[in-house]
Amino acid sequence: MAYTLFYFPGNANLAPHMALEELGVPYELALLDRAGAEHKSAAYLARNPTGRIPTLLAPHPDGGDETVFETAAILLHLADNHPESGLAPAPGTPGRGRFLTWLFHLTNTIQPEYRVFYYPEQHVTDPAHVADAKATAERRLCEMFALVDRELATRPYIAADQVTVADFLLLMLVRWGRTFTHPPRDLPHVGRLCAELLARPAVQRAFEQEGLAAPFV
Ligand SMILES: N[C@@H](CCC(=O)N[C@@H](CS)C(=O)NCC(=O)O)C(=O)O
């Protein structure tokens, strides 16, 4: 049985999509009709009651499948299901704590700030404040990426000395800031890591399959 990833091009599915390609495991992509609000349909909500993208159907070895949503949960589930990949330090091994720290920082701190940037109208009561909310989110995201850049000055990847699923999450988050006045790709260590990740065949396949055009970040 194969995994199924419900997606929309460039959405939060991109990180799990890169992980699936890197793992080389069988999977199918299920395109959601965002314009038709398919992610708010009863069928999708039965899988993912948050009505957000992505969702992963993960097969069980004994048949059937399990639904996983929340991008970082999907990434962790994939990495832990395939420990031979090395895409996450195993529980109980050195580096697991640092890996979890950065995976959770990216998903708990940086990713939600993008909700304000991309959906500012949901974060204000007065429509006159929409532009300010968006600008404030951009400024805060720049501060967050500056911290990530300082961290990346100390090691090659964000959460370990080798690629982990956290790097795919970081690449996706950097991409989402590509229209900023000071895009995170311009930070030296962030830019260096993004260039390296974008050169990986698995990453290129995921971008191509989602139909994402340059500039990628
Ligand atoms: N915490 C969720 C957030 C996912 C998320 O915000 N997805 C966006 C697309 S990138 C979405 O579904 N937007 C449509 C909506 O909120 O209705 C996760 O990491 O999976």
Side-chain angles (χ1 to χ4, degrees), residues 163-211:
V163 171
T164 69
V165 289
D167 295 294
F168 300 136
L169 183 53
L170 176 58
L171 180 63
M172 182 187 86
L173 295 171
V174 171
R175 171 180 163 75
W176 288 356
R178 66 196 182 285
T179 61
F180 289 178
T181 304
H182 301 289
R185 64 167 179 266
D186 287 347
L187 294 164
H189 302 287
V190 170
R192 177 259 304 160
L193 176 55
C194 288
E196 182 184 328
L197 294 170
L198 286 168
R200 295 176 86 88
V203 170
Q204 291 174 357
R205 286 194 298 273
F207 275 64
E208 191 179 326
Q209 288 163 15
E210 294 197 17

Side-chain angles (χ1 to χ4, degrees), residues 10 16 22 33 64 68 125 162 164-165 178 198 211 215:
E22 191 76 32
D33 173 12
V68 185
T125 46
Q162 64 184 71
T164 69
V165 289
R178 66 196 182 285
L198 286 168

Side-chain angles (χ1 to χ4, degrees), residues 77-96:
H77 192 67
L78 288 172
D80 286 352
N81 275 1
H82 303 279
E84 70 290 349
S85 69
L87 286 178
T93 64
R96 178 71 173 189

Side-chain angles (χ1 to χ4, degrees), residues 105-118:
H105 179 74
L106 294 174
T107 196
N108 271 357
T109 303
I110 300 186
Q111 195 178 340
E113 197 69 32
Y114 271 116
R115 293 284 307 184
V116 185
F117 182 78
Y118 281 111

